[in-house]
Amino acid sequence: MATDVQVPTLGESITEATLGEWLKQPGETVGRDEPIASLETDKVAVEVPSPVAGVLQEHVVAVGDTIEVGAVIARIGDSKGAAPAKAEAAKDASGKSAPATAEATPPAADPDSQPLTLSPAVRRLVLEHGVDPSKIHGTGKDGRLTKDDVLAAAKAEKAEAREPSMERVEPAVAAPVASGERREERVRMTRLRQTIAKRLKDAQNTAALLTTFNDVDMTAVMDARKQYKELFEKKHGIRLGFMGFFVQAACLALRDVPSVNARIDGDEIVYHDYVDVSVAVSAPNGLVVPVIRNADQMTFAEIENTIADFGKRAKDGTLSMDEMRGGTFTISNGGVFGSLLSTPIINPPQSAVLGMHRIEQRPVVMPDGSIAARPMMYLALSYDHRLVDGREAVTALVRMKEALEDPMRLLIDL
């Protein structure tokens, strides 16, 4: 008797998803709780585990189909009946069963001929580095490939490619390309990318967006990191990054200017006595925004550990939807990609977002009139002008600038 595999509950307000890829094909054996498919929701990719051990009998839906929570996507059969003794094939032309031969006992499986089951994270790395997964020895459970296995294989291939060959190699002749040939490729948008596009456009259509700018001298923050980074890492097991300073500075500013941490709900304004900071993180399928809950109550080490964990799991595709729900203020760091200046778009229903940018040496006129090269960063605060006045936005950004240029303010709460 076959067992139906249904779309699991995906979280509050998530009622449907798109089938991203099949991790198991019909005829393959599956273990209980082993992932057989990957679903794309509005926020994250979710793996669907098999409810029983057995053999995958059929796919009920196709890749790209939109399916609702509770819908049947596949059927799992009993492994005992999955591999009949090929009675039909064993019969001779007269219709009589042929005598049992050595083939009646299935030969030992060749590991290299078995279909590989790759997790979404491993599959992305395989595609990214262009390695052959069948030639990689898996060190994971049951011989499955891990990310480290793929990365090691890719590194080995690059090292081998750099070694000079002792044989004379004839230069390859490039295939002729038709003059003026122009190509196009159509790729279906992922559900996550569709959601990002819709939400950003809705934000532009709904909110009265405005951005205010300032720059910050990062000398004090950089000096603090240089002085304490080794002690910090030794004690807490995590590097002291820039984001901890920015989250702390933002919490200080939002407490002084609560409207920047508020939201509009109908004809009412909702103020929060806590700060849940959404941190924009780059993931393989697009931008995701997990939330640091009660950031205003956290230490530098707790903030840095939380952000590092978010970044790792965003790449692995293992962030949960609960971790990306809510948030009262967003920080986006475009500086890691080299951005000098930008106007970030708010993350509805939030009313403001802080954009960080790259640090670069620029000439600055010092208080004594001298000119010195200083590590400067542009900050951008985009906000919903329906709720936040210009004076409040500028005040909040100046508070952040002051705290970053004099981190002692974070310690003594100024």
PDB file of all heavy atoms in Angstrom, residues 367-406:
ATOM      1  N   PRO A 367      39.117  69.231  13.060  1.00  0.00           N
ATOM      2  CA  PRO A 367      38.703  70.397  13.855  1.00  0.00           C
ATOM      3  C   PRO A 367      39.758  71.501  13.924  1.00  0.00           C
ATOM      4  O   PRO A 367      39.424  72.678  14.026  1.00  0.00           O
ATOM      5  CB  PRO A 367      38.440  69.794  15.240  1.00  0.00           C
ATOM      6  CG  PRO A 367      38.041  68.382  14.961  1.00  0.00           C
ATOM      7  CD  PRO A 367      38.874  67.965  13.793  1.00  0.00           C
ATOM      8  N   ASP A 368      41.052  71.137  13.849  1.00  0.00           N
ATOM      9  CA  ASP A 368      42.096  72.165  13.927  1.00  0.00           C
ATOM     10  C   ASP A 368      42.421  72.780  12.573  1.00  0.00           C
ATOM     11  O   ASP A 368      43.363  73.553  12.439  1.00  0.00           O
ATOM     12  CB  ASP A 368      43.364  71.573  14.554  1.00  0.00           C
ATOM     13  CG  ASP A 368      43.944  70.421  13.724  1.00  0.00           C
ATOM     14  OD1 ASP A 368      43.343  70.084  12.670  1.00  0.00           O
ATOM     15  OD2 ASP A 368      44.976  69.863  14.127  1.00  0.00           O
ATOM     16  N   GLY A 369      41.657  72.408  11.540  1.00  0.00           N
ATOM     17  CA  GLY A 369      41.869  72.967  10.206  1.00  0.00           C
ATOM     18  C   GLY A 369      42.792  72.158   9.329  1.00  0.00           C
ATOM     19  O   GLY A 369      42.898  72.429   8.125  1.00  0.00           O
ATOM     20  N   SER A 370      43.466  71.158   9.861  1.00  0.00           N
ATOM     21  CA  SER A 370      44.353  70.327   9.057  1.00  0.00           C
ATOM     22  C   SER A 370      43.522  69.340   8.233  1.00  0.00           C
ATOM     23  O   SER A 370      42.347  69.093   8.518  1.00  0.00           O
ATOM     24  CB  SER A 370      45.330  69.571   9.955  1.00  0.00           C
ATOM     25  OG  SER A 370      44.633  68.703  10.834  1.00  0.00           O
ATOM     26  N   ILE A 371      44.154  68.794   7.214  1.00  0.00           N
ATOM     27  CA  ILE A 371      43.486  67.820   6.352  1.00  0.00           C
ATOM     28  C   ILE A 371      44.167  66.474   6.527  1.00  0.00           C
ATOM     29  O   ILE A 371      45.396  66.366   6.456  1.00  0.00           O
ATOM     30  CB  ILE A 371      43.537  68.262   4.874  1.00  0.00           C
ATOM     31  CG1 ILE A 371      42.788  69.588   4.697  1.00  0.00           C
ATOM     32  CG2 ILE A 371      42.924  67.178   3.983  1.00  0.00           C
ATOM     33  CD1 ILE A 371      42.830  70.119   3.282  1.00  0.00           C
ATOM     34  N   ALA A 372      43.377  65.455   6.766  1.00  0.00           N
ATOM     35  CA  ALA A 372      43.924  64.120   6.995  1.00  0.00           C
ATOM     36  C   ALA A 372      43.101  63.088   6.249  1.00  0.00           C
ATOM     37  O   ALA A 372      41.906  63.282   5.991  1.00  0.00           O
ATOM     38  CB  ALA A 372      43.927  63.809   8.497  1.00  0.00           C
ATOM     39  N   ALA A 373      43.736  62.000   5.878  1.00  0.00           N
ATOM     40  CA  ALA A 373      43.030  60.881   5.245  1.00  0.00           C
ATOM     41  C   ALA A 373      42.377  60.044   6.344  1.00  0.00           C
ATOM     42  O   ALA A 373      43.040  59.601   7.274  1.00  0.00           O
ATOM     43  CB  ALA A 373      44.003  60.033   4.442  1.00  0.00           C
ATOM     44  N   ARG A 374      41.078  59.853   6.226  1.00  0.00           N
ATOM     45  CA  ARG A 374      40.347  59.106   7.244  1.00  0.00           C
ATOM     46  C   ARG A 374      39.497  58.017   6.575  1.00  0.00           C
ATOM     47  O   ARG A 374      39.007  58.181   5.448  1.00  0.00           O
ATOM     48  CB  ARG A 374      39.410  60.036   8.034  1.00  0.00           C
ATOM     49  CG  ARG A 374      40.067  61.278   8.567  1.00  0.00           C
ATOM     50  CD  ARG A 374      41.000  60.968   9.711  1.00  0.00           C
ATOM     51  NE  ARG A 374      40.266  60.728  10.948  1.00  0.00           N
ATOM     52  CZ  ARG A 374      40.862  60.601  12.137  1.00  0.00           C
ATOM     53  NH1 ARG A 374      42.190  60.643  12.230  1.00  0.00           N
ATOM     54  NH2 ARG A 374      40.150  60.405  13.225  1.00  0.00           N
ATOM     55  N   PRO A 375      39.277  56.896   7.271  1.00  0.00           N
ATOM     56  CA  PRO A 375      38.416  55.838   6.727  1.00  0.00           C
ATOM     57  C   PRO A 375      36.942  56.238   6.880  1.00  0.00           C
ATOM     58  O   PRO A 375      36.391  56.185   7.978  1.00  0.00           O
ATOM     59  CB  PRO A 375      38.766  54.621   7.589  1.00  0.00           C
ATOM     60  CG  PRO A 375      39.223  55.211   8.894  1.00  0.00           C
ATOM     61  CD  PRO A 375      39.882  56.513   8.566  1.00  0.00           C
ATOM     62  N   MET A 376      36.333  56.609   5.789  1.00  0.00           N
ATOM     63  CA  MET A 376      34.971  57.153   5.826  1.00  0.00           C
ATOM     64  C   MET A 376      33.967  56.188   5.193  1.00  0.00           C
ATOM     65  O   MET A 376      34.288  55.443   4.270  1.00  0.00           O
ATOM     66  CB  MET A 376      34.912  58.495   5.090  1.00  0.00           C
ATOM     67  CG  MET A 376      35.887  59.541   5.595  1.00  0.00           C
ATOM     68  SD  MET A 376      35.597  60.029   7.313  1.00  0.00           S
ATOM     69  CE  MET A 376      33.985  60.811   7.182  1.00  0.00           C
ATOM     70  N   MET A 377      32.755  56.208   5.730  1.00  0.00           N
ATOM     71  CA  MET A 377      31.655  55.413   5.179  1.00  0.00           C
ATOM     72  C   MET A 377      30.421  56.289   5.054  1.00  0.00           C
ATOM     73  O   MET A 377      30.074  57.024   5.969  1.00  0.00           O
ATOM     74  CB  MET A 377      31.319  54.207   6.083  1.00  0.00           C
ATOM     75  CG  MET A 377      30.102  53.410   5.594  1.00  0.00           C
ATOM     76  SD  MET A 377      29.447  52.221   6.796  1.00  0.00           S
ATOM     77  CE  MET A 377      30.722  50.978   6.773  1.00  0.00           C
ATOM     78  N   TYR A 378      29.752  56.191   3.913  1.00  0.00           N
ATOM     79  CA  TYR A 378      28.467  56.865   3.745  1.00  0.00           C
ATOM     80  C   TYR A 378      27.366  56.011   4.371  1.00  0.00           C
ATOM     81  O   TYR A 378      27.325  54.791   4.183  1.00  0.00           O
ATOM     82  CB  TYR A 378      28.147  57.089   2.273  1.00  0.00           C
ATOM     83  CG  TYR A 378      28.948  58.186   1.625  1.00  0.00           C
ATOM     84  CD1 TYR A 378      29.786  57.922   0.544  1.00  0.00           C
ATOM     85  CD2 TYR A 378      28.861  59.501   2.093  1.00  0.00           C
ATOM     86  CE1 TYR A 378      30.513  58.936  -0.056  1.00  0.00           C
ATOM     87  CE2 TYR A 378      29.595  60.521   1.500  1.00  0.00           C
ATOM     88  CZ  TYR A 378      30.420  60.227   0.429  1.00  0.00           C
ATOM     89  OH  TYR A 378      31.147  61.228  -0.153  1.00  0.00           O
ATOM     90  N   LEU A 379      26.473  56.647   5.102  1.00  0.00           N
ATOM     91  CA  LEU A 379      25.290  55.993   5.652  1.00  0.00           C
ATOM     92  C   LEU A 379      24.056  56.573   4.980  1.00  0.00           C
ATOM     93  O   LEU A 379      23.994  57.775   4.709  1.00  0.00           O
ATOM     94  CB  LEU A 379      25.188  56.217   7.167  1.00  0.00           C
ATOM     95  CG  LEU A 379      26.304  55.655   8.040  1.00  0.00           C
ATOM     96  CD1 LEU A 379      26.010  55.944   9.505  1.00  0.00           C
ATOM     97  CD2 LEU A 379      26.483  54.167   7.817  1.00  0.00           C
ATOM     98  N   ALA A 380      23.078  55.720   4.705  1.00  0.00           N
ATOM     99  CA  ALA A 380      21.826  56.156   4.102  1.00  0.00           C
ATOM    100  C   ALA A 380      20.670  55.631   4.941  1.00  0.00           C
ATOM    101  O   ALA A 380      20.613  54.430   5.220  1.00  0.00           O
ATOM    102  CB  ALA A 380      21.712  55.658   2.666  1.00  0.00           C
ATOM    103  N   LEU A 381      19.769  56.499   5.337  1.00  0.00           N
ATOM    104  CA  LEU A 381      18.577  56.087   6.081  1.00  0.00           C
ATOM    105  C   LEU A 381      17.356  56.398   5.224  1.00  0.00           C
ATOM    106  O   LEU A 381      16.995  57.564   5.044  1.00  0.00           O
ATOM    107  CB  LEU A 381      18.483  56.818   7.419  1.00  0.00           C
ATOM    108  CG  LEU A 381      17.296  56.396   8.298  1.00  0.00           C
ATOM    109  CD1 LEU A 381      17.504  54.977   8.828  1.00  0.00           C
ATOM    110  CD2 LEU A 381      17.101  57.364   9.464  1.00  0.00           C
ATOM    111  N   SER A 382      16.755  55.360   4.661  1.00  0.00           N
ATOM    112  CA  SER A 382      15.497  55.526   3.923  1.00  0.00           C
ATOM    113  C   SER A 382      14.345  55.337   4.900  1.00  0.00           C
ATOM    114  O   SER A 382      14.386  54.441   5.750  1.00  0.00           O
ATOM    115  CB  SER A 382      15.397  54.507   2.784  1.00  0.00           C
ATOM    116  OG  SER A 382      16.346  54.767   1.776  1.00  0.00           O
ATOM    117  N   TYR A 383      13.315  56.143   4.750  1.00  0.00           N
ATOM    118  CA  TYR A 383      12.213  56.089   5.715  1.00  0.00           C
ATOM    119  C   TYR A 383      10.889  56.438   5.052  1.00  0.00           C
ATOM    120  O   TYR A 383      10.850  57.030   3.958  1.00  0.00           O
ATOM    121  CB  TYR A 383      12.485  57.031   6.889  1.00  0.00           C
ATOM    122  CG  TYR A 383      12.701  58.486   6.501  1.00  0.00           C
ATOM    123  CD1 TYR A 383      11.659  59.409   6.593  1.00  0.00           C
ATOM    124  CD2 TYR A 383      13.939  58.938   6.056  1.00  0.00           C
ATOM    125  CE1 TYR A 383      11.853  60.734   6.248  1.00  0.00           C
ATOM    126  CE2 TYR A 383      14.144  60.262   5.710  1.00  0.00           C
ATOM    127  CZ  TYR A 383      13.094  61.163   5.811  1.00  0.00           C
ATOM    128  OH  TYR A 383      13.279  62.482   5.451  1.00  0.00           O
ATOM    129  N   ASP A 384       9.810  56.052   5.729  1.00  0.00           N
ATOM    130  CA  ASP A 384       8.455  56.338   5.262  1.00  0.00           C
ATOM    131  C   ASP A 384       8.062  57.707   5.801  1.00  0.00           C
ATOM    132  O   ASP A 384       7.808  57.868   7.004  1.00  0.00           O
ATOM    133  CB  ASP A 384       7.498  55.251   5.759  1.00  0.00           C
ATOM    134  CG  ASP A 384       6.106  55.386   5.156  1.00  0.00           C
ATOM    135  OD1 ASP A 384       5.815  56.434   4.549  1.00  0.00           O
ATOM    136  OD2 ASP A 384       5.308  54.428   5.301  1.00  0.00           O
ATOM    137  N   HIS A 385       7.998  58.683   4.908  1.00  0.00           N
ATOM    138  CA  HIS A 385       7.729  60.062   5.323  1.00  0.00           C
ATOM    139  C   HIS A 385       6.303  60.249   5.837  1.00  0.00           C
ATOM    140  O   HIS A 385       5.971  61.281   6.442  1.00  0.00           O
ATOM    141  CB  HIS A 385       7.979  61.006   4.141  1.00  0.00           C
ATOM    142  CG  HIS A 385       8.470  62.360   4.551  1.00  0.00           C
ATOM    143  ND1 HIS A 385       8.372  62.832   5.831  1.00  0.00           N
ATOM    144  CD2 HIS A 385       9.058  63.358   3.833  1.00  0.00           C
ATOM    145  CE1 HIS A 385       8.868  64.050   5.895  1.00  0.00           C
ATOM    146  NE2 HIS A 385       9.305  64.392   4.701  1.00  0.00           N
ATOM    147  N   ARG A 386       5.435  59.262   5.634  1.00  0.00           N
ATOM    148  CA  ARG A 386       4.086  59.354   6.199  1.00  0.00           C
ATOM    149  C   ARG A 386       4.136  59.305   7.716  1.00  0.00           C
ATOM    150  O   ARG A 386       3.268  59.866   8.394  1.00  0.00           O
ATOM    151  CB  ARG A 386       3.215  58.199   5.696  1.00  0.00           C
ATOM    152  CG  ARG A 386       2.964  58.158   4.194  1.00  0.00           C
ATOM    153  CD  ARG A 386       2.151  56.933   3.824  1.00  0.00           C
ATOM    154  NE  ARG A 386       2.814  55.699   4.258  1.00  0.00           N
ATOM    155  CZ  ARG A 386       2.204  54.519   4.344  1.00  0.00           C
ATOM    156  NH1 ARG A 386       0.911  54.412   4.054  1.00  0.00           N
ATOM    157  NH2 ARG A 386       2.868  53.451   4.735  1.00  0.00           N
ATOM    158  N   LEU A 387       5.137  58.616   8.252  1.00  0.00           N
ATOM    159  CA  LEU A 387       5.244  58.425   9.694  1.00  0.00           C
ATOM    160  C   LEU A 387       6.426  59.173  10.295  1.00  0.00           C
ATOM    161  O   LEU A 387       6.326  59.753  11.380  1.00  0.00           O
ATOM    162  CB  LEU A 387       5.379  56.919   9.997  1.00  0.00           C
ATOM    163  CG  LEU A 387       5.722  56.506  11.430  1.00  0.00           C
ATOM    164  CD1 LEU A 387       4.664  57.029  12.403  1.00  0.00           C
ATOM    165  CD2 LEU A 387       5.842  55.002  11.531  1.00  0.00           C
ATOM    166  N   VAL A 388       7.544  59.161   9.587  1.00  0.00           N
ATOM    167  CA  VAL A 388       8.778  59.762  10.106  1.00  0.00           C
ATOM    168  C   VAL A 388       9.016  61.109   9.447  1.00  0.00           C
ATOM    169  O   VAL A 388       9.089  61.205   8.218  1.00  0.00           O
ATOM    170  CB  VAL A 388       9.977  58.827   9.847  1.00  0.00           C
ATOM    171  CG1 VAL A 388      11.252  59.423  10.447  1.00  0.00           C
ATOM    172  CG2 VAL A 388       9.712  57.431  10.408  1.00  0.00           C
ATOM    173  N   ASP A 389       9.128  62.144  10.264  1.00  0.00           N
ATOM    174  CA  ASP A 389       9.452  63.473   9.742  1.00  0.00           C
ATOM    175  C   ASP A 389      10.934  63.565   9.426  1.00  0.00           C
ATOM    176  O   ASP A 389      11.757  62.809   9.967  1.00  0.00           O
ATOM    177  CB  ASP A 389       9.074  64.556  10.758  1.00  0.00           C
ATOM    178  CG  ASP A 389       7.580  64.640  10.984  1.00  0.00           C
ATOM    179  OD1 ASP A 389       6.821  64.296  10.047  1.00  0.00           O
ATOM    180  OD2 ASP A 389       7.166  65.022  12.096  1.00  0.00           O
ATOM    181  N   GLY A 390      11.277  64.522   8.583  1.00  0.00           N
ATOM    182  CA  GLY A 390      12.670  64.701   8.218  1.00  0.00           C
ATOM    183  C   GLY A 390      13.556  64.977   9.417  1.00  0.00           C
ATOM    184  O   GLY A 390      14.676  64.452   9.512  1.00  0.00           O
ATOM    185  N   ARG A 391      13.072  65.776  10.345  1.00  0.00           N
ATOM    186  CA  ARG A 391      13.856  66.091  11.535  1.00  0.00           C
ATOM    187  C   ARG A 391      14.160  64.839  12.340  1.00  0.00           C
ATOM    188  O   ARG A 391      15.283  64.643  12.829  1.00  0.00           O
ATOM    189  CB  ARG A 391      13.085  67.088  12.408  1.00  0.00           C
ATOM    190  CG  ARG A 391      13.778  67.415  13.738  1.00  0.00           C
ATOM    191  CD  ARG A 391      12.921  68.370  14.552  1.00  0.00           C
ATOM    192  NE  ARG A 391      11.637  67.783  14.877  1.00  0.00           N
ATOM    193  CZ  ARG A 391      11.420  66.972  15.906  1.00  0.00           C
ATOM    194  NH1 ARG A 391      12.417  66.614  16.691  1.00  0.00           N
ATOM    195  NH2 ARG A 391      10.217  66.490  16.140  1.00  0.00           N
ATOM    196  N   GLU A 392      13.162  63.947  12.462  1.00  0.00           N
ATOM    197  CA  GLU A 392      13.368  62.712  13.217  1.00  0.00           C
ATOM    198  C   GLU A 392      14.350  61.783  12.512  1.00  0.00           C
ATOM    199  O   GLU A 392      15.206  61.159  13.148  1.00  0.00           O
ATOM    200  CB  GLU A 392      12.031  62.005  13.417  1.00  0.00           C
ATOM    201  CG  GLU A 392      11.057  62.785  14.293  1.00  0.00           C
ATOM    202  CD  GLU A 392       9.684  62.155  14.326  1.00  0.00           C
ATOM    203  OE1 GLU A 392       9.167  61.799  13.253  1.00  0.00           O
ATOM    204  OE2 GLU A 392       9.131  62.002  15.431  1.00  0.00           O
ATOM    205  N   ALA A 393      14.243  61.687  11.196  1.00  0.00           N
ATOM    206  CA  ALA A 393      15.146  60.821  10.447  1.00  0.00           C
ATOM    207  C   ALA A 393      16.584  61.309  10.560  1.00  0.00           C
ATOM    208  O   ALA A 393      17.511  60.528  10.795  1.00  0.00           O
ATOM    209  CB  ALA A 393      14.723  60.761   8.977  1.00  0.00           C
ATOM    210  N   VAL A 394      16.781  62.607  10.395  1.00  0.00           N
ATOM    211  CA  VAL A 394      18.124  63.166  10.484  1.00  0.00           C
ATOM    212  C   VAL A 394      18.681  62.982  11.893  1.00  0.00           C
ATOM    213  O   VAL A 394      19.855  62.627  12.076  1.00  0.00           O
ATOM    214  CB  VAL A 394      18.112  64.657  10.085  1.00  0.00           C
ATOM    215  CG1 VAL A 394      19.467  65.295  10.382  1.00  0.00           C
ATOM    216  CG2 VAL A 394      17.766  64.805   8.615  1.00  0.00           C
ATOM    217  N   THR A 395      17.830  63.211  12.895  1.00  0.00           N
ATOM    218  CA  THR A 395      18.272  63.052  14.287  1.00  0.00           C
ATOM    219  C   THR A 395      18.721  61.623  14.558  1.00  0.00           C
ATOM    220  O   THR A 395      19.763  61.386  15.186  1.00  0.00           O
ATOM    221  CB  THR A 395      17.137  63.434  15.253  1.00  0.00           C
ATOM    222  OG1 THR A 395      16.779  64.802  15.048  1.00  0.00           O
ATOM    223  CG2 THR A 395      17.570  63.238  16.701  1.00  0.00           C
ATOM    224  N   ALA A 396      17.941  60.645  14.087  1.00  0.00           N
ATOM    225  CA  ALA A 396      18.297  59.236  14.301  1.00  0.00           C
ATOM    226  C   ALA A 396      19.629  58.906  13.633  1.00  0.00           C
ATOM    227  O   ALA A 396      20.482  58.220  14.220  1.00  0.00           O
ATOM    228  CB  ALA A 396      17.193  58.329  13.769  1.00  0.00           C
ATOM    229  N   LEU A 397      19.823  59.400  12.414  1.00  0.00           N
ATOM    230  CA  LEU A 397      21.068  59.100  11.701  1.00  0.00           C
ATOM    231  C   LEU A 397      22.268  59.770  12.368  1.00  0.00           C
ATOM    232  O   LEU A 397      23.354  59.180  12.449  1.00  0.00           O
ATOM    233  CB  LEU A 397      20.950  59.536  10.240  1.00  0.00           C
ATOM    234  CG  LEU A 397      22.031  59.009   9.293  1.00  0.00           C
ATOM    235  CD1 LEU A 397      22.088  57.486   9.329  1.00  0.00           C
ATOM    236  CD2 LEU A 397      21.772  59.490   7.871  1.00  0.00           C
ATOM    237  N   VAL A 398      22.071  60.979  12.870  1.00  0.00           N
ATOM    238  CA  VAL A 398      23.157  61.671  13.576  1.00  0.00           C
ATOM    239  C   VAL A 398      23.507  60.937  14.869  1.00  0.00           C
ATOM    240  O   VAL A 398      24.684  60.823  15.240  1.00  0.00           O
ATOM    241  CB  VAL A 398      22.769  63.130  13.859  1.00  0.00           C
ATOM    242  CG1 VAL A 398      23.752  63.784  14.826  1.00  0.00           C
ATOM    243  CG2 VAL A 398      22.723  63.921  12.559  1.00  0.00           C
ATOM    244  N   ARG A 399      22.495  60.398  15.568  1.00  0.00           N
ATOM    245  CA  ARG A 399      22.751  59.626  16.784  1.00  0.00           C
ATOM    246  C   ARG A 399      23.632  58.415  16.458  1.00  0.00           C
ATOM    247  O   ARG A 399      24.557  58.073  17.202  1.00  0.00           O
ATOM    248  CB  ARG A 399      21.444  59.144  17.412  1.00  0.00           C
ATOM    249  CG  ARG A 399      20.606  60.240  18.028  1.00  0.00           C
ATOM    250  CD  ARG A 399      21.158  60.683  19.381  1.00  0.00           C
ATOM    251  NE  ARG A 399      20.245  61.608  20.011  1.00  0.00           N
ATOM    252  CZ  ARG A 399      20.206  62.914  19.778  1.00  0.00           C
ATOM    253  NH1 ARG A 399      21.069  63.453  18.902  1.00  0.00           N
ATOM    254  NH2 ARG A 399      19.344  63.695  20.390  1.00  0.00           N
ATOM    255  N   MET A 400      23.332  57.746  15.347  1.00  0.00           N
ATOM    256  CA  MET A 400      24.143  56.597  14.942  1.00  0.00           C
ATOM    257  C   MET A 400      25.566  57.034  14.612  1.00  0.00           C
ATOM    258  O   MET A 400      26.538  56.377  15.019  1.00  0.00           O
ATOM    259  CB  MET A 400      23.508  55.902  13.731  1.00  0.00           C
ATOM    260  CG  MET A 400      22.137  55.308  13.987  1.00  0.00           C
ATOM    261  SD  MET A 400      21.472  54.510  12.505  1.00  0.00           S
ATOM    262  CE  MET A 400      19.704  54.648  12.823  1.00  0.00           C
ATOM    263  N   LYS A 401      25.697  58.118  13.892  1.00  0.00           N
ATOM    264  CA  LYS A 401      27.025  58.636  13.530  1.00  0.00           C
ATOM    265  C   LYS A 401      27.840  58.952  14.778  1.00  0.00           C
ATOM    266  O   LYS A 401      29.014  58.568  14.890  1.00  0.00           O
ATOM    267  CB  LYS A 401      26.853  59.889  12.671  1.00  0.00           C
ATOM    268  CG  LYS A 401      28.148  60.673  12.401  1.00  0.00           C
ATOM    269  CD  LYS A 401      27.840  61.949  11.632  1.00  0.00           C
ATOM    270  CE  LYS A 401      29.050  62.876  11.557  1.00  0.00           C
ATOM    271  NZ  LYS A 401      30.117  62.305  10.692  1.00  0.00           N
ATOM    272  N   GLU A 402      27.217  59.619  15.740  1.00  0.00           N
ATOM    273  CA  GLU A 402      27.926  59.983  16.971  1.00  0.00           C
ATOM    274  C   GLU A 402      28.388  58.748  17.743  1.00  0.00           C
ATOM    275  O   GLU A 402      29.505  58.711  18.273  1.00  0.00           O
ATOM    276  CB  GLU A 402      27.022  60.850  17.847  1.00  0.00           C
ATOM    277  CG  GLU A 402      26.736  62.232  17.266  1.00  0.00           C
ATOM    278  CD  GLU A 402      25.694  62.991  18.065  1.00  0.00           C
ATOM    279  OE1 GLU A 402      24.967  62.342  18.870  1.00  0.00           O
ATOM    280  OE2 GLU A 402      25.584  64.219  17.888  1.00  0.00           O
ATOM    281  N   ALA A 403      27.521  57.726  17.807  1.00  0.00           N
ATOM    282  CA  ALA A 403      27.874  56.519  18.550  1.00  0.00           C
ATOM    283  C   ALA A 403      28.996  55.745  17.867  1.00  0.00           C
ATOM    284  O   ALA A 403      29.849  55.153  18.534  1.00  0.00           O
ATOM    285  CB  ALA A 403      26.644  55.624  18.703  1.00  0.00           C
ATOM    286  N   LEU A 404      29.029  55.761  16.545  1.00  0.00           N
ATOM    287  CA  LEU A 404      30.069  55.044  15.818  1.00  0.00           C
ATOM    288  C   LEU A 404      31.409  55.777  15.874  1.00  0.00           C
ATOM    289  O   LEU A 404      32.473  55.151  15.924  1.00  0.00           O
ATOM    290  CB  LEU A 404      29.646  54.835  14.361  1.00  0.00           C
ATOM    291  CG  LEU A 404      28.459  53.878  14.163  1.00  0.00           C
ATOM    292  CD1 LEU A 404      27.900  54.001  12.756  1.00  0.00           C
ATOM    293  CD2 LEU A 404      28.890  52.442  14.434  1.00  0.00           C
ATOM    294  N   GLU A 405      31.359  57.091  15.866  1.00  0.00           N
ATOM    295  CA  GLU A 405      32.601  57.859  15.922  1.00  0.00           C
ATOM    296  C   GLU A 405      33.153  57.947  17.342  1.00  0.00           C
ATOM    297  O   GLU A 405      34.340  58.246  17.528  1.00  0.00           O
ATOM    298  CB  GLU A 405      32.374  59.263  15.355  1.00  0.00           C
ATOM    299  CG  GLU A 405      32.087  59.242  13.855  1.00  0.00           C
ATOM    300  CD  GLU A 405      31.979  60.617  13.239  1.00  0.00           C
ATOM    301  OE1 GLU A 405      31.697  61.592  13.979  1.00  0.00           O
ATOM    302  OE2 GLU A 405      32.180  60.732  12.015  1.00  0.00           O
ATOM    303  N   ASP A 406      32.295  57.667  18.329  1.00  0.00           N
ATOM    304  CA  ASP A 406      32.737  57.633  19.722  1.00  0.00           C
ATOM    305  C   ASP A 406      32.043  56.458  20.413  1.00  0.00           C
ATOM    306  O   ASP A 406      31.042  56.629  21.104  1.00  0.00           O
ATOM    307  CB  ASP A 406      32.377  58.951  20.416  1.00  0.00           C
ATOM    308  CG  ASP A 406      32.877  59.004  21.863  1.00  0.00           C
ATOM    309  OD1 ASP A 406      33.626  58.079  22.262  1.00  0.00           O
ATOM    310  OD2 ASP A 406      32.512  59.949  22.582  1.00  0.00           O
TER     311      ASP A 406
END
